[in-house]
Amino acid sequence: MSSRLSEEPELPDSAAARLDAQLAFLLEIDKLKLVVRRNELADASRRENTAEHSWHLVMFALTLAEHGSPRLDVARVVRLCAIHDLVEIDAGDTFFWDEKGYQDKELRERAAAKRLFGMLPPPQAAEFEALWEEFEAAQTPEAVFANAVDRLAPVLLNAHSGGRSWRENGVTAEKIRSKMEIIARASPRLGRVLENLIETAQAKGYLGVAP
Amino acid sequence: MSSRLSEEPELPDSAAARLDAQLAFLLEIDKLKLVVRRNELADASRRENTAEHSWHLVMFALTLAEHGSPRLDVARVVRLCAIHDLVEIDAGDTFFWDEKGYQDKELRERAAAKRLFGMLPPPQAAEFEALWEEFEAAQTPEAVFANAVDRLAPVLLNAHSGGRSWRENGVTAEKIRSKMEIIARASPRLGRVLENLIETAQAKGYLGVAP
């Protein structure tokens, strides 16, 4: 399929070439719907995929932004949320609690970013890759907030679906607390939400126990 | 689960109450992942759900915005794309080519909007409902662009997955052309993309034939 129509000279070649590349990219990233994460949906009917998780994060950002820093650029948080997991198309989902998987996660994801964002026209490729880098570095207020909702979302789902992935992988309350301080950094109120979710999950026996 | 902690007076009650309502909303909209659409993924492995479709639209908007009007507010297009199908949680997905389903679609979706957005704190409830109304009215440049990518996305997937939902439902090239003029209105270039996709699909026998 091509959007280049030689009989239409009013369409500059460069715009047509960019559009072809963009459509190929949009078709390629359809594969994110096939990447399955560890946590289940809230109703525990099945595991979540990364594309629907990314949509849910966009909604978290749009809904909860008021609890972040007052000068937060919400539109940028939304971009970070939508784009941050695209690398999983090649690199797969690395389970948050998989220490071995995390050893080569950066290498695998960097190669994926090169290939996937490299499908886009150069200025846009650089722009999207920079958003992914910003999310990974977690330094800007927007990246901190996006990382915070990325951590909070599966906790909310696990706390309602029975926490199967926590129990099966020995994820304890202490492990969650130690790895999720970025939530309180993004928003003290969301930090309290996390603590309440952990306490509720623990009371219900949804969490793993220390070996 | 509650974020209201009576021993922490520095947290104003109203912010805590808003946060509780917002978390309940975010948990409720997890159900959009269970709404199954007619079209299949690009690899034809299964049908698409509305949550992952909504994410894909966000990516269409971020990637293709340059082909719309130069003054397009992309952040607003993204909000429209993320929110526009939430009503399907109650109203279900109405197949684009189901004329009978479209007769009471507005009624069903309006009731769904009242219930779902009504879960949010009042100013946010009104803001989100206004975004949904804006998408449905398809009058602002942002809503026209969001509607255009909402039409274009399943055509792109169908044209690559074999067009099963087109063939099973007698969707012809003429039907597509007559219902999708909003794509060319949003962007003449995207209008040409649609025409190329239709021609390719027709050549491959992916489209329905007139009875």
Side-chain angles (χ1 to χ4, degrees):
Chain A
M1 175 209 65
S2 166
S3 62
R4 259 166 289 192
L5 299 176
S6 54
E7 67 275 23
E8 296 186 67
E10 82 277 11
L11 185 66
D13 243 358
S14 59
R18 281 203 305 278
L19 182 49
D20 278 350
Q22 289 159 338
L23 291 169
F25 170 78
L26 289 169
L27 195 61
E28 177 69 14
I29 66 172
D30 196 61
K31 294 177 183 165
L32 197 61
K33 301 167 189 170
L34 302 169
V35 177
V36 178
R37 292 162 49 85
R38 290 293 181 98
N39 64 275
E40 298 182 313
L41 302 187
D43 73 349
S45 59
R46 63 168 170 82
R47 280 161 67 185
E48 190 182 34
N49 75 58
T50 304
E52 61 196 7
H53 159 72
S54 300
W55 165 78
H56 213 172
L57 289 195
V58 167
M59 292 304 305
F60 270 69
L62 292 177
T63 306
L64 299 178
E66 67 164 295
H67 305 290
S69 135
R71 280 188 300 277
L72 205 62
D73 177 348
V74 183
R76 190 165 190 90
V77 177
V78 164
R79 281 173 186 252
L80 294 169
C81 288
I83 284 174
H84 83 288
D85 266 343
L86 279 175
V87 293
E88 293 189 2
I89 289 171
D90 287 357
D93 176 53
T94 306
F95 186 42
F96 191 68
W97 308 100
D98 172 8
E99 285 174 23
K100 192 144 166 282
Y102 262 73
Q103 284 171 5
D104 64 342
K105 178 175 179 280
E106 192 184 332
L107 213 65
R108 285 182 288 118
E109 294 194 344
R110 198 162 292 281
K114 281 282 165 251
R115 183 186 79 79
L116 283 162
F117 299 129
M119 294 180 71
L120 288 166
Q124 199 168 40
E127 182 203 332
F128 279 32
E129 188 165 353
L131 286 168
W132 172 70
E133 299 269 14
E134 180 178 342
F135 180 92
E136 288 295 308
Q139 296 299 318
T140 65
E142 286 74 25
V144 169
F145 198 84
N147 271 273
V149 294
D150 186 40
R151 303 272 207 291
L152 186 60
V155 174
L156 185 69
L157 296 185
N158 268 320
H160 284 85
S161 65
R164 179 199 295 250
S165 71
W166 283 337
R167 282 177 289 111
E168 287 183 354
N169 296 282
V171 178
T172 62
E174 272 326 297
K175 270 198 183 174
I176 297 178
R177 285 190 188 101
S178 72
K179 290 265 231 167
M180 297 203 179
E181 59 77 34
I182 201 169
I183 296 177
R185 192 142 50 90
S187 159
R189 267 181 227 148
L190 294 184
R192 282 191 285 270
V193 168
L194 174 70
E195 190 49 43
N196 289 338
L197 287 168
I198 292 172
E199 284 168 20
T200 306
Q202 201 160 29
K204 289 188 178 171
Y206 289 176
L207 281 160
V209 284
Chain B
M1 174 209 62
S2 166
S3 63
R4 260 165 288 190
L5 299 177
S6 54
E7 67 276 22
E8 295 186 69
E10 81 277 12
L11 185 67
D13 244 358
S14 58
R18 282 204 305 279
L19 182 48
D20 278 350
Q22 288 159 337
L23 291 169
F25 170 79
L26 289 169
L27 195 61
E28 178 69 14
I29 67 172
D30 196 61
K31 294 178 181 164
L32 197 61
K33 300 166 188 171
L34 302 169
V35 177
V36 179
R37 292 162 50 85
R38 291 293 182 98
N39 65 274
E40 297 181 315
L41 302 187
D43 73 349
S45 59
R46 63 168 171 82
R47 281 161 66 186
E48 190 183 32
N49 74 58
T50 305
E52 61 197 7
H53 159 72
S54 300
W55 165 78
H56 213 170
L57 290 196
V58 167
M59 292 304 305
F60 270 69
L62 292 177
T63 307
L64 300 179
E66 66 164 295
H67 306 289
S69 135
R71 279 188 302 275
L72 205 61
D73 176 348
V74 183
R76 190 166 189 88
V77 177
V78 164
R79 281 172 185 252
L80 294 168
C81 288
I83 285 174
H84 83 288
D85 266 343
L86 279 175
V87 293
E88 293 188 2
I89 289 170
D90 288 355
D93 176 53
T94 306
F95 186 42
F96 191 68
W97 308 100
D98 173 7
E99 286 174 24
K100 192 144 166 281
Y102 262 73
Q103 284 171 6
D104 65 342
K105 177 175 179 279
E106 193 185 331
L107 213 64
R108 284 182 288 120
E109 293 194 344
R110 197 161 294 279
K114 281 281 165 249
R115 183 185 80 79
L116 283 161
F117 299 129
M119 294 181 70
L120 288 166
Q124 199 168 40
E127 182 203 332
F128 280 31
E129 188 165 353
L131 287 167
W132 172 70
E133 299 270 13
E134 180 178 342
F135 180 93
E136 288 296 307
Q139 296 299 319
T140 64
E142 286 74 24
V144 168
F145 198 85
N147 271 274
V149 293
D150 186 40
R151 303 272 207 289
L152 186 61
V155 175
L156 185 69
L157 296 185
N158 268 320
H160 285 85
S161 64
R164 180 200 295 252
S165 72
W166 283 337
R167 283 177 287 109
E168 287 182 354
N169 296 282
V171 178
T172 62
E174 272 326 298
K175 270 197 183 175
I176 297 178
R177 285 191 187 100
S178 72
K179 291 264 232 167
M180 297 203 179
E181 58 78 34
I182 200 169
I183 295 177
R185 192 141 52 88
S187 159
R189 268 181 224 147
L190 294 184
R192 284 190 284 270
V193 167
L194 174 70
E195 190 50 43
N196 289 338
L197 287 168
I198 292 172
E199 284 169 19
T200 307
Q202 200 160 30
K204 289 187 177 171
Y206 288 176
L207 282 160
V209 284

